[in-house]
Amino acid sequence: MTTLKPETPASSVCSHTPTCPSVDASARDAAHVIAAHPEQGWSLLCNGIVLFEDFGELLPSGESCAARWHDLLMASPHR
Ligand SMILES: [Zn+2]
């Protein structure tokens, strides 16, 4: 976190390779977890999303999304 480039938007700070999905990406839930708080039921993803244990999301913009687990299951190639 000490090598941030000045031109890098705060919402897309990522030092992983490959780069984590952005907030706008359909696979945004696949971003790395950079802060996990299982005792509180949420995790902070690399792209700034707060992911709750029921797969609800709180986006960096403050927008909240309902649990997507059903969508994720539907998108699985195994179903
Ligand atoms: Zn990342």
Side-chain angles (χ1 to χ4, degrees), residues 28 49-50 52 55-68:
R28 61 192 179 191
I49 291 176
V50 175
F52 297 99
F55 294 100
E57 297 172 343
L58 182 62
L59 304 188
S61 62
E63 179 185 358
S64 62
C65 295
R68 301 177 65 228

Side-chain angles (χ1 to χ4, degrees), residues 3 22-23 31 38 41-43 45-48 50 57 62 67 72-73 76 78:
T3 58
S22 70
V23 172
W42 62 275
S43 299
L45 302 187
C46 187
N47 55 15
V50 175
E57 297 172 343
L72 294 175
L73 286 176
S76 170
H78 301 295

Side-chain angles (χ1 to χ4, degrees), residues 1-6 8 13-15:
M1 286 303 177
T2 58
T3 58
L4 299 180
K5 298 174 183 177
T8 303
V13 175
C14 179
S15 59

